[in-house]
Amino acid sequence: MSSLILPTAYLGGCIVTMSVFSYVYRRAKNVRTIEPWFPPNDAKEKYIALLNAEPAVPDHHLKSALLGRAMEGVRRVVAVQQEKPALGLLLRTGHIGDEIWQDFQVAEKETMHELQEIAQEANTFKEGWSKTLFTTASQMIEAEKQKEIRDRSNVRRAEEEEKKKPKQCECLEPEDKDAK
């Protein structure tokens, strides 16, 4: 009888140890970190830093930083609106999993919350400014896009002109027969 106690205790200890390991491993495996859909919002950080600056920053600096934050918010909303139909189709056809769709929905909610915060901040400066702020931010984004397109077309035009120019060859002058 006493000869069975030691092997039974050993077997029981092994089973308990394996069960605990299995439980901890499964929980660690199921923990999933949500990757941010967008990179960190530098415009928001800049605005918050100016807002919390010890010597009070003039209002025009804060308004400028808030406009930059609004521009980033508008960019993100446009990106969400453009990606939503495609992701919905991919989800319905089974090409992406529910995790990606959930990440996208979290990003969409965060973006909408960010826009609401921006509107509230804008209204602290002047009542109703949030309406014109987002219009101005959209116009500035469009102006930036047009400037990028113009710059790219200028670069392409310059490259094409370089290609069209006749190449000048540097021909060597014939050597004198006396030098040989």
Side-chain angles (χ1 to χ4, degrees):
M1 178 97 167
S2 65
S3 64
L4 291 177
I5 293 176
L6 186 61
T8 306
Y10 178 76
L11 214 71
C14 287
I15 291 172
V16 167
T17 304
M18 290 244 201
S19 298
V20 169
F21 173 77
S22 175
Y23 175 76
V24 170
Y25 179 75
R26 280 192 218 134
R27 295 210 77 207
K29 189 176 177 183
N30 287 337
V31 172
R32 184 175 70 88
T33 58
I34 297 176
E35 293 181 27
W37 198 265
F38 295 107
N41 192 343
D42 294 332
K44 180 180 180 179
E45 298 300 324
K46 178 181 175 185
Y47 176 75
I48 291 172
L50 286 175
L51 195 60
N52 295 329
E54 189 54 41
V57 178
D59 276 353
H60 64 276
H61 289 292
L62 290 173
K63 289 178 181 178
S64 174
L66 187 61
L67 180 61
R69 185 177 171 190
M71 287 174 62
E72 183 62 30
V74 169
R75 280 189 197 103
R76 290 179 180 210
V77 165
V78 168
V80 164
Q81 289 173 347
Q82 289 175 347
E83 293 170 358
K84 189 171 187 172
L87 283 173
L89 179 65
L90 290 173
L91 180 69
R92 283 192 300 275
T93 57
H95 288 87
I96 61 170
D98 290 335
E99 293 129 8
I100 293 176
W101 182 252
Q102 289 170 354
D103 288 350
F104 177 75
Q105 287 179 327
V106 167
E108 184 179 27
K109 287 178 186 175
E110 287 175 354
T111 302
M112 292 305 166
H113 185 264
E114 175 72 16
L115 288 180
Q116 289 172 352
E117 283 182 13
I118 293 169
Q120 289 173 352
E121 289 285 330
N123 287 331
T124 60
F125 288 108
K126 183 179 177 184
E127 192 63 36
W129 187 47
S130 62
K131 295 175 185 173
T132 58
L133 175 71
F134 289 116
T135 304
T136 305
S138 297
Q139 290 172 351
M140 289 180 68
I141 290 170
E142 287 301 316
E144 284 180 355
K145 287 180 184 177
Q146 289 175 358
K147 182 180 177 187
E148 288 176 18
I149 291 170
R150 187 174 52 247
D151 291 344
R152 278 189 265 146
S153 67
N154 288 340
V155 167
R156 285 184 186 156
R157 187 177 306 122
E159 289 173 353
E160 288 176 6
E161 288 176 4
E162 281 293 319
K163 289 179 182 177
K164 288 181 181 178
K165 283 185 181 178
K167 293 183 180 179
Q168 296 179 359
C169 65
E170 297 177 13
C171 300
L172 297 174
E173 293 183 21
E175 295 180 17
D176 290 337
K177 293 181 183 177
D178 296 334
K180 291 185 180 182

